[in-house]
Amino acid sequence: MDAIRIPKVQNVLCSKAGKTTQGTLHLTAHHLIFCYDDSPEPEMWASSVPYPLVNLVTRLPQTLSGQCPITFRCRTFETFSLSFDKESDAADVFDSVKELTVAPSVTQLYAFFYVPNPPLTSSGGWGLYSVREEFGRMGVGTRSKAWRFTDINKDYSFSPTYPSRMVVPTRISDATLQYAVKYRSKGRIPALSYLHWANYGSITRSSQPMVGLTNARSIQDEKLVEAIFLSHQAPDSRAAPSGVFGATSTNLIVDARPTTNAMANTAKGAGTENMDHYKDCKKAYLGIDHIHAMRESLGRVVEALRESEVLAASVAGDLPGTTSVALPVDRQALRRSGWLRHLTGIMEGSVLIVRNVHVNSSHVLIHCSDGWDRTSQLSAVSQLCLDPYYRTVRGFQVLVEKDWLSFGHKFLDRCGHLSSEKFFLTPLEGSGSGGGAEAAQAFLASVQNRFASNHHIKETSPVFHQFLEVVRNIQRQFPERFEFNELFLRQLHYHLYSCQFGSFLFNSEKERRTCVPSPYERTVSVWDYMNSEPRASEYINPSYKPELDDPMSRVPKADQGVLFPNPKDIRFWHELYGRGDEEMNGRFVTPQTQNVEFLAPVENAEEDPAILRPTTPNSQPMTPALVSSISSAEASSSSSMYDLGTPKRGSSPLPHRNTSPSLRPPPSPSRQRQTPPRPTGTDLFANTGVGMKSVWGKLSSGAGAAFSVVQDAYGGVAKDFRGLSVGPASPGGGELLDKGGELRGRDELAAWGGDAPAESRFEPERVAQAVRPSTFAGGTSNPWSTTKTSPFVPSVLADNPWSTARSTEPARSATLGSSLGDVFGTSRASEASGLPVDPTVAQPAIVASPSASRATEAPAKTSPPGPSAPLDPTPALSQAASPLPKPSASPPGDDIDPLGVGLR
């Protein structure tokens, strides 16, 4: 072949994984092969390195030892360097690899020339997925008559990126679809992707609507979505839909994008649904970033791995037979990449969909911008958790064929199979004539210019790689629920970029079927390769237990085959990156915080920040639901969507419980300033993910209404108790200063005195001691008072009853005050202790404040048990003007309480 300028080079030093060996390099039409001179291994990396696996090739200047190195970075996260004795050999190898890697068309890739030898034992990989068989297995046409097959796209003129045969609601005719297709980007209308086996819940997928700046709408699209959300109520269904106990109808439109991206697309003529026009559903924004952020995030992971390899190589040098010291990866750099955060967002959105379909027996419509990247991720991961069939080897292959290949994921563009000359970096011509320093400076400038001009390559992104890594994390959390093992996923990732098979070479089903020559005839399916022996047996998981997926099982912890993975338990796929688990994830994995937007549910256009509305000076005030959404978003922006870190100040370390605001006592003023706002909706599904509490607070409308009834009942009982006035009358008249109070416990009621007469136990002073002031009471009974004082709430957590420096006045220790208003009024006397005062126990002497006036230090006798004079309700700030009461000292005797705890 003319592209191969030099087929063989001897005495080449290969440095890989910290080891440097000498051998011979061979260049073939589709592979780069390195044979070791003194090694039993005949070839490097099992057989060869296909050229499409090469991601970045850098030709470095000549070293001081006279070597001419070339570094190779592969898409499988491997890095190796080849050092040549002659600069001409390095130049020929560099130019040959560049011409062989940068393919002019798909038909020039290795898959169209690969002939398996020996022949594969399995065949029929191209016919593995059949639309009628797969959707018939789900129950389309048999269990449910609400869906039908349509061939409206048989010639791909209806939607070029959609499959030729689709499943749509029976109530919608093809004529209606012809109008609805104009309202969706790229003509990707809502179409069925999954029908749940346990109920009539469904997962449909589409692209964004063409709303634009004019807020355009389509009646046909609205009717199509409405028919999807009413498919479980089809009148001609064979099995009448029955309600599921505890489930509520919460149909959901999932927009995988952040609201800012949706708003930006509105300016370009697209946008998001106006919820005023879509009935019986709500919308949720997942805040998953676009493909460019994913590409940059993975690039930072690769850079962190490369830096450790460069440091290890610099320690060992380029001498043959040497081994470098294993240097750890900078885990902080890995976390700063944000890769785990993106994976967490995908898993969290998938759990939301799984719960809405399986638990709520409802429908979900998923879309992003064009509906072939984030939509495929969410749809496939959700089905993997919902249906045990997709966790088998054949079922997983069908899932990839259906939701990725058939629905038009752009594998050719996202994987960058054709590569580009921009990924081949070389020093400038003639840079070596000016000296080594000038050559290095010119090379660095060339590298910077190459990367600066590389921004036009915008279509590559590790979308399918993310899907495989999320599946690997679910497989790690549920090791007994998958028929295939980790090696199966790793080999699938390898052949995603190897271009050895024709499965992942095209952007759509149309391109795959109209390509000449036909890939169905000229290439081999990747499933035939993976289903052939001996590889098929290597991919089986020995710990797989299919009996756990039995939907009729009633054993403890039975889940009917539906998995709910933990979005906070996300780790790097260390086997894929060629590192150890502890090296990449650490011994104790601390999940990353996710600083992404999660907004849900959106019920109308007023609550949707992505809908552009004309603003007027006299605009209407925001609805309470929107205020709640904004406050939740502000709280999540300062903290984390997932709250994966340490608890913040003012927050309880206990797990979140779904208590209503009226049932939760208000915090103290100081704590109230530190606590971020929390959503007020009732959360029945808090374990979905910490970031989804606001979602399920509104989605669980039926359970929320039932909870409101209980809440109102509790409020009525509490109101009745607050109406009971057990405190004494105010000094000025017969009206009580403060109504309401909670009776003290049995131990505290002992303060009344067990030996006292029955009639004396109900004196006003004793009743005041037996009643704990309600923490719900305010500081004043006049809400319009201009001189409000902050209420004081006695707390046994804030006061130390065993403290020796406790300030307790003897007159005040006998009684808590003549009325409950003294406790919540301006007096600061009760701040000393939150415990009940025992009148039979003598109190220790008070330690006078330095700022207070000097009082007489003559000892006073201990007051006998019983009621004493009421306290002077003077504010604490005026204590300097008015002297404190005289402190009392307990006479020596048997009744001395040296600790002040009521024990003797």
Side-chain angles (χ1 to χ4, degrees), residues 440-507:
Q441 184 176 2
F443 171 73
L444 292 178
S446 172
V447 172
Q448 294 176 357
N449 293 335
R450 292 283 186 173
F451 277 104
S453 60
N454 194 29
H455 289 292
H456 75 282
I457 306 177
K458 299 180 179 180
E459 293 297 320
T460 59
S461 184
V463 178
F464 192 74
H465 169 198
Q466 278 186 319
F467 163 70
L468 294 179
E469 192 153 358
V470 171
V471 173
R472 171 55 190 157
N473 274 274
I474 302 176
Q475 185 186 59
R476 180 181 51 81
Q477 296 183 22
F478 302 92
E480 299 177 347
R481 313 303 289 272
F482 289 81
E483 185 183 11
F484 50 87
N485 54 17
E486 181 271 338
L487 180 61
F488 177 84
L489 298 175
R490 186 152 33 103
Q491 286 295 314
L492 190 59
H493 177 272
Y494 176 87
H495 291 297
L496 172 67
Y497 295 103
S498 68
C499 297
Q500 184 175 351
F501 306 100
S503 300
F504 306 123
L505 299 184
F506 300 92
N507 289 332

Side-chain angles (χ1 to χ4, degrees), residues 886-901:
K886 294 181 181 181
S888 62
S890 301
D894 296 337
D895 295 338
I896 293 178
D897 184 11
L899 299 179
V901 297

Side-chain angles (χ1 to χ4, degrees), residues 297-312:
S297 178
L298 183 61
R300 288 189 288 268
V301 174
V302 174
E303 190 64 23
L305 298 176
R306 190 188 66 85
E307 289 178 358
S308 64
E309 294 178 354
V310 170
L311 292 176

Side-chain angles (χ1 to χ4, degrees), residues 99 159 236 561 656 664 817 871:
E99 294 188 20
S159 178
D236 53 351
H656 175 74
R664 187 187 303 115
L871 293 176

Side-chain angles (χ1 to χ4, degrees), residues 714-727:
Y714 181 90
V717 175
K719 184 176 180 181
D720 295 338
F721 275 106
R722 287 195 295 269
L724 296 176
S725 176
V726 292

